[in-house]
Amino acid sequence: MTTAPLEPADDKVVDASPGTTRRSPELSPSTTPSDATPSIGGKARTIALICLLAASFMELMDATVVNVALRTMQVDLGASAVSLQWIVAGYPLTYAVGLILGARLGDNFGRRKLFVAGLAAFGLASLACGLATGPTELVVFRLIQGVAAALMVPQVLSNIQVLYPPAERAKAMGMFTSVIGLAAVTGPILGAVITDGDWFGLSWRPVFLINVPLAVLAIAAAIAFIPESRSAIKTPITAGAALLLGGSLAAIMLPITLGPENDWPAWGFIVMVVGIAGLGLFGVRQVRSARRGIEPMVPPALFATRSFSIGLAAFTALMVPTGGYFLVQSLHVQLALGWSVLHAGLMWIPFSLAVPISAGLAATVLVARFGKRVLQVGGAVFIVGMPLMGFAEQSAHPALWFAAALTVGGLGFGGIVGSAGLLVLNDVPVRLAGAASGVFNTAQALAVAFGAAVVGTVYTSVGESSGLESAYRASLVVMIGFVVVGGLIAQALRTSTTTSEATDLEPAVA
């Protein structure tokens, strides 16, 4: 085995004999060698993890928190329908486009450094959004907010992989996936509560302003407790590669996010095909770089890890229906049952309580014993929760049945997100942590956006021709189909996750 020698992150000397890794005695929590497990633990590492999770929570919450406040924003700012589209779509667009680049910048220049920079930019952009006086300003600041999130979020998974060796990673991933599940439904709930409550007479503005104090606290904790780390091998990031990747992802995301509101124009499909072709060209260039001995932005070796490539495909398929699930369920109870925005937001409380319990249990206990079956059973339980929602609205006690249906759905969704992180990422060497994090987050963002667009279009088009009940049933069929596909792909994974400690030590071996 021949690997690159370990490079110190902060001018510390690391002496590694074959099969061992030794840190210099003066190493401190803020000076960690590249890709080595930092010499921190206990409360310091726990605080570092909480800081990382807080950033993830803010980003995921911000992706959906504005949806329920759009009508209020329109009246207050005099926003047009096009402006409202961009207020919603601009954030996930720039976020998805920048994730892989953000991850590799963290590998090159320091994961803590990029995390803090992204946090600071996210907090400032949130402040600017909350103080915006017109729709154009709000659109611009939302785009900037997405860029900031793309710098910040990839460092979360990278740092978890660096901070925790495989034997200890399950608990950290359990907390991470619990936060993912909780944040996914907190956005609509919090947005509804804030908008309806008119906090401090500020109407919709606290939807963004609430991020500012959280960002300040997270920055202080990150500087104090998160050790610096970077990849042992620096990745040359050329303008051509960055533009090709970013432009291709933008060409895919733009029609997905704007298509449903514009009746899927023909140009959208053309642009999407161009984007897919661009990604193919980017992949060819990455393979050529690897063959010439140049570290690519997305190393092909990453996909040679079987659990990563198959697990990522299964996770992507399973994430598609979740984008449609939150959208259609919220729309349907408002359109078919006449619920208010606040009522529709509060409906998700049982779901939000079930997800972290299920996700934490899946990551910390179940995956180690049952492996891929946790992902598959999670998908099956998620499927059961879907038609229960339809039954709930026809029952004599709808509130009780809605709570039961959303609890079942939350348990299934928690099983999916709780197991996916470990199944996909646990076998990836730490030297590829940044690239893996960027690809994982990009796939998730694309899948959720695609699911919301496709399932939302099915619901709208069938609803116009055959009524809301038929539209709801058609949406369920599409969502269940994607869950089944994801479960079938997961069948190709190993039965259990057995990760060798040597996998993470490999980059440190001279």
Side-chain angles (χ1 to χ4, degrees):
M1 178 178 62
T2 303
T3 58
L6 187 66
E7 297 175 5
D10 291 88
D11 300 323
K12 299 292 181 182
V13 178
V14 178
D15 178 19
S17 57
T20 63
T21 303
R22 296 202 303 271
R23 296 186 183 87
S24 55
E26 64 273 6
L27 192 65
S28 67
S30 63
T31 54
T32 302
S34 307
D35 291 343
T37 302
S39 57
I40 67 168
K43 291 183 179 179
R45 190 169 65 171
T46 301
I47 295 173
L49 178 61
I50 291 172
C51 172
L52 295 168
L53 297 181
S56 291
F57 185 87
M58 281 195 298
E59 181 279 317
L60 285 164
M61 184 183 69
D62 247 59
T64 57
V65 73
V66 300
N67 293 354
V68 295
L70 283 177
R71 176 59 182 163
T72 308
M73 290 178 184
Q74 184 178 32
V75 174
D76 186 37
L77 299 176
S80 65
V82 174
S83 296
L84 292 178
Q85 276 186 278
W86 277 101
I87 290 170
V88 174
Y91 176 85
L93 175 65
T94 53
Y95 170 67
V97 167
L99 279 167
I100 293 176
L101 180 60
R104 297 311 262 168
L105 288 172
D107 283 348
N108 282 358
F109 300 106
R111 292 158 185 146
R112 182 183 65 182
K113 188 179 298 181
L114 264 291
F115 179 72
V116 170
L119 258 177
F122 190 84
L124 290 172
S126 297
L127 177 62
C129 287
L131 300 177
T133 57
T136 302
E137 291 177 36
L138 187 53
V139 169
V140 171
F141 294 140
R142 282 286 280 173
L143 292 170
I144 296 173
Q145 201 179 28
V147 173
L151 294 177
M152 171 180 69
V153 171
Q155 320 312 326
V156 175
L157 282 175
S158 298
N159 273 297
I160 288 176
Q161 286 186 273
V162 172
L163 285 168
Y164 291 87
E168 301 176 32
R169 197 173 292 157
K171 186 177 293 186
M173 288 300 297
M175 294 178 67
F176 172 74
T177 51
S178 296
V179 165
I180 288 179
L182 186 60
V185 291
T186 298
I189 295 173
L190 187 61
V193 170
I194 289 175
T195 305
D196 189 74
D198 192 19
W199 292 6
F200 309 108
L202 295 174
S203 185
W204 53 270
R205 298 181 186 276
V207 163
F208 298 108
L209 296 177
I210 196 172
N211 290 331
V212 178
L214 293 176
V216 171
L217 291 174
I219 290 170
I223 293 173
F225 295 101
I226 296 179
E228 186 61 283
S229 67
R230 57 175 65 95
S231 178
I233 303 174
K234 194 165 186 176
T235 303
I237 300 175
T238 63
L243 288 173
L244 178 59
L245 175 62
S248 300
L249 290 172
I252 294 172
M253 278 292 293
L254 190 63
I256 289 176
T257 52
L258 298 180
E261 297 294 332
N262 294 280
D263 297 323
W264 292 100
W267 65 261
F269 294 100
I270 296 172
V271 171
M272 201 180 302
V273 169
V274 171
I276 294 171
L279 281 185
L281 178 59
F282 176 79
V284 170
R285 292 184 56 171
Q286 298 301 285
V287 172
R288 289 176 179 171
S289 294
R291 287 175 178 171
R292 292 199 302 266
I294 301 171
E295 179 72 2
M297 284 180 64
V298 181
L302 180 63
F303 297 94
T305 304
R306 179 182 174 86
S307 59
F308 179 82
S309 55
I310 295 175
L312 183 68
F315 177 65
T316 301
L318 289 166
M319 282 294 102
V320 169
T322 64
Y325 180 75
F326 298 122
L327 173 65
V328 167
Q329 301 292 11
S330 297
L331 273 178
H332 190 66
V333 295
Q334 292 179 68
L335 296 177
L337 303 181
W339 288 14
S340 67
V341 170
L342 179 61
H343 193 179
L346 295 177
M347 172 188 75
W348 291 101
I349 290 177
F351 190 95
S352 66
L353 295 175
V355 168
I357 296 172
S358 177
L361 186 63
T364 57
V365 178
L366 299 179
V367 171
R369 295 186 60 186
F370 303 108
K372 66 186 180 186
R373 292 188 182 89
V374 182
L375 187 65
Q376 294 171 313
V377 171
V381 174
F382 189 45
I383 286 176
V384 172
M386 292 183 193
L388 280 179
M389 292 286 288
F391 175 77
E393 66 178 87
Q394 304 296 332
S395 68
H397 304 284
L400 179 63
W401 279 102
F402 268 115
L406 286 165
T407 300
V408 172
L411 292 173
F413 181 69
I416 293 171
V417 297
S419 58
L422 282 173
L423 291 168
V424 176
L425 298 173
N426 211 43
D427 290 338
V428 174
V430 171
R431 64 186 176 86
L432 300 178
S437 174
V439 172
F440 183 84
N441 283 296
T442 300
Q444 181 183 18
L446 288 172
V448 170
F450 180 75
V454 170
V455 178
T457 299
V458 169
Y459 181 81
T460 303
S461 58
V462 175
E464 290 174 352
S465 60
S466 305
L468 295 178
E469 294 305 318
S470 297
Y472 188 69
R473 287 193 294 269
S475 302
L476 290 181
V477 170
V478 174
M479 290 188 284
I480 290 171
F482 276 105
V483 175
V484 171
V485 170
L488 292 174
I489 295 173
Q491 187 62 30
L493 286 167
R494 297 174 185 171
T495 302
S496 62
T497 55
T498 54
T499 305
S500 170
E501 190 79 26
T503 303
D504 274 46
L505 290 178
E506 181 179 336
V509 178

